Amino acid sequence: MGEIVIIGAGFAGLCMGIQLRKAGYDDFVILEKAEDLGGTWWENTYPGCACDVPSPMYSYSFELNRDWSRLFAPQPEIQRYLARCAEKYGITKHIRFGVEVDTLEYDEDALRWSVTTMKGEELRPRAVVSGVGALHVPSLPEIPGMESFEGAAFHSAQWDHSYDLRGKRVAVIGTGASAIQFVPEVAKEAAELTVFQRTPNWIQSKPDIDMPAAYRLPGMPRAVRNAVYWVLEARAVGFAVDPRLSGLQKWLAMRQIKKQVPDPELRAKVTPDYTIGCKRILLSNDWYPALGRDNVDLRTEGVAEIRANSVVTEAGEEIEVDAIIYGTGFKVVDAMDHWKITGRGGRKIQEAWSEGIVAHHGTTLPDFPNLFMLLGPNTGLGHNSVVFMIEVQVAHILSCLRMLSETKSTTIEPRPEAMHAYNERLQKRLRKAVWNEGGCNSWYLDAEGVNRTLWPGFTFEFWAGSRKARPEEYILG
């Protein structure tokens, strides 16, 4: 079986391409909407952009990087690492840049997918692998008057490097994982910085050290990676097993607040009132010091309106600003709502997901033959590296392709009853987890409050149960 289209050239799409080549498949193409590879790590170039997962785990298990400069790699290093991987494994020649996919439609007569690009080009592969990831569609708030603002306004993922922030009055809306990285950098340049926070995050110190020379010794990258894996994995005990076991995590976060926020008023603003782990725990050494600067003002009231040259708070105060930066994250669950995918019998993917976004092992879906999703529903993590999850899913997809070859079949899709049983078990565990019971409202949950984003347990459980597709759970045609 050949003729595979992979969508996206980030960690997921590149991993799929590399493993296809290793398995002897060479008839595939990777379609990438951007002008270079890297996905999230190509698009996000805001000041201070870096990974919040230790570098030894934020890399492929089969291609460890001895050259990380820091324990938490900055964005340019991660993008360069991916480029080296693509070149080393002969993937670059398979990538077509500047090609954005518009629609996927299954042709039942030809047993092929019709993949249409935004430029109107059509490809007709046997199989499609979506490697678009979860963090690539910027989420903008709906605030009255946004379009009337006359100053500079941009999302952190679409940073305007041509705009000089020095000496400007800047408003930042949102205080998530991106904002805690760029706000300290902006605070150094802006004359006045007003940060609008809806909900405070639990934040721990970031042990961001220079990688020691010993790391480059033979065997050390693997040993360090294994150690980091188990340290991160231990955090899942309090998240997925029992939130009461997160005492150490909360103590570390509270120590950070007490150490870095002497002002009692500011301390009250930045201290969360929900269980730690309910929202992603963030890592930073300079977020609290930045908020304590004389030129920075943290506001906890919401934004009611944006005018030509100002932001109006819900309390009615008008704050004049020259620029607005949206640190409001990405569309995750709702990003999939807009996928233009049509399966067997003209069934839209939105119909398949009318009762919620689901997939079998986060990867396959009934009535959508030979369609595979990397980082699909409930494969996200709150404690470890999603690159690990990607590798498990890629192994699952390869086992599906081998099943097709060994049985001389043309199509494969999961049995509906198998998918429903898998997701019932998954949601039963999630209902007891901190992400559902921790008292916060996060992007992990859909409009009905159901967690469609995270894996509910340890990553080694996902590895044990998902790395190989079980023939009895699939329909071959």
Side-chain angles (χ1 to χ4, degrees):
M1 176 178 173
E3 305 161 86
I4 301 168
V5 164
I6 301 169
I7 306 171
F11 263 104
L14 293 177
C15 185
M16 189 74 246
I18 290 169
Q19 297 298 358
L20 280 174
R21 287 212 70 195
K22 284 185 173 183
Y25 296 91
D26 203 50
D27 191 6
F28 65 90
V29 64
I30 301 176
L31 306 181
E32 170 55 53
K33 66 179 179 178
E35 298 305 314
D36 205 341
L37 57 79
T40 293
W41 299 105
W42 166 255
E43 294 179 0
N44 286 268
T45 60
Y46 57 80
C49 185
C51 191
D52 60 359
V53 174
S55 312
M57 268 308 296
Y58 205 76
S59 50
Y60 298 128
S61 64
F62 55 84
E63 187 61 33
L64 302 188
N65 182 17
R66 296 175 181 272
D67 299 325
W68 294 125
S69 67
R70 308 189 63 75
L71 186 56
F72 293 86
Q75 172 265 331
E77 280 190 34
I78 299 173
Q79 202 272 332
R80 287 197 298 270
Y81 164 77
L82 289 172
R84 287 200 305 272
C85 290
E87 194 64 37
K88 177 177 178 177
Y89 291 96
I91 301 303
T92 310
K93 65 182 181 181
H94 290 271
I95 306 174
R96 292 176 55 188
F97 295 109
V99 179
E100 185 171 0
V101 172
D102 184 26
T103 63
L104 302 177
E105 190 164 344
Y106 188 65
D107 185 333
E108 293 181 64
D109 296 325
L111 302 179
R112 288 180 177 270
W113 281 93
S114 171
V115 180
T116 307
T117 71
M118 297 294 272
K119 296 177 181 177
E121 181 184 3
E122 184 187 22
L123 293 83
R124 303 274 293 175
R126 292 282 187 190
V128 177
V129 179
S130 170
V132 298
L135 304 178
H136 72 106
V137 180
S139 175
L140 287 170
E142 295 180 2
I143 302 173
M146 286 174 64
E147 68 288 343
S148 68
F149 186 66
E150 295 177 357
F154 49 88
H155 190 277
S156 62
Q158 299 162 333
W159 198 272
D160 184 356
H161 290 279
S162 67
Y163 186 77
D164 189 353
L165 293 168
R166 285 178 295 184
K168 300 295 196 306
R169 299 167 299 179
V170 181
V172 169
I173 298 175
T175 55
S178 298
I180 71 159
Q181 292 186 340
F182 72 74
V183 162
E185 300 301 317
V186 173
K188 297 173 186 175
E189 298 191 341
E192 299 174 12
L193 176 58
T194 306
V195 179
F196 289 93
Q197 169 191 278
R198 184 174 58 183
T199 308
N201 292 287
W202 284 109
I203 298 172
Q204 296 176 350
S205 63
K206 187 176 185 178
D208 192 15
I209 59 171
D210 291 333
M211 293 300 276
Y215 178 72
R216 294 164 180 81
L217 294 175
M220 281 300 290
R222 181 69 61 189
V224 172
R225 178 188 175 89
N226 291 343
V228 169
Y229 173 80
W230 288 110
V231 169
L232 295 178
E233 200 69 355
R235 298 202 300 171
V237 173
F239 300 163
V241 179
D242 190 333
R244 290 173 295 183
L245 299 175
S246 286
L248 175 61
Q249 300 297 332
K250 182 176 180 180
W251 180 82
L252 290 170
M254 286 302 300
R255 185 180 70 165
Q256 178 91 333
I257 293 174
K258 292 173 183 176
K259 183 179 178 181
Q260 294 190 330
V261 189
D263 177 46
E265 185 178 342
L266 180 59
R267 185 181 293 182
K269 289 181 179 180
V270 300
T271 303
D273 62 359
Y274 54 85
T275 305
I276 191 166
C278 185
K279 294 162 73 81
R280 185 178 178 90
I281 298 175
L282 305 181
L283 303 178
S284 177
N285 299 326
D286 51 9
W287 169 250
Y288 293 139
L291 296 183
R293 291 174 63 114
D294 291 339
N295 64 325
V296 178
D297 184 20
L298 179 67
R299 310 298 290 259
T300 55
E301 65 268 44
V303 176
E305 179 188 358
I306 293 176
R307 296 176 183 169
N309 299 292
S310 63
V311 173
V312 182
T313 72
E314 289 181 345
E317 182 181 354
E318 184 173 6
I319 303 170
E320 291 190 358
V321 295
D322 303 304
I324 300 174
I325 304 172
Y326 295 99
T328 44
F330 300 87
K331 294 181 179 179
V332 180
V333 173
D334 52 345
M336 297 181 183
D337 292 346
H338 304 292
W339 284 6
K340 299 177 183 177
I341 304 178
T342 306
R344 181 186 291 106
R347 192 180 195 201
K348 306 288 186 185
I349 201 164
Q350 286 76 16
E351 296 174 49
W353 286 340
S354 60
E355 295 182 4
I357 294 174
V358 294
H360 193 44
H361 295 276
T363 309
T364 55
L365 196 61
D367 294 326
F368 294 82
N370 299 358
L371 175 67
F372 306 97
M373 292 174 282
L374 294 171
L375 294 181
N378 294 108
T379 58
L381 296 174
H383 71 285
N384 211 320
S385 171
V386 292
V387 181
F388 181 96
M389 303 294 276
I390 288 168
E391 291 194 44
V392 174
Q393 286 189 280
V394 167
H396 186 95
I397 294 169
L398 287 174
S399 72
C400 288
L401 297 180
R402 280 195 294 271
M403 217 185 297
L404 288 174
S405 298
E406 291 166 0
T407 60
K408 294 181 170 55
S409 301
T410 308
T411 63
I412 185 168
E413 61 189 284
R415 297 183 180 278
E417 61 272 21
M419 185 190 74
H420 292 312
Y422 171 83
N423 280 281
E424 281 178 15
R425 294 193 301 271
L426 184 147
Q427 289 298 335
K428 184 178 180 180
R429 290 186 67 180
L430 279 171
R431 282 193 288 271
K432 301 175 183 177
V434 68
W435 309 296
N436 287 53
E437 295 294 323
C440 73
N441 181 25
S442 75
W443 54 265
Y444 298 149
L445 312 181
D446 66 9
E448 278 69 51
V450 180
N451 194 325
R452 304 292 183 183
T453 307
L454 294 182
W455 170 247
F458 298 100
T459 61
F460 58 78
E461 293 179 278
F462 188 73
W463 174 85
S466 298
R467 72 186 188 281
K468 187 174 181 180
R470 297 179 176 86
E472 66 273 15
E473 296 179 357
Y474 278 89
I475 301 170
L476 296 167

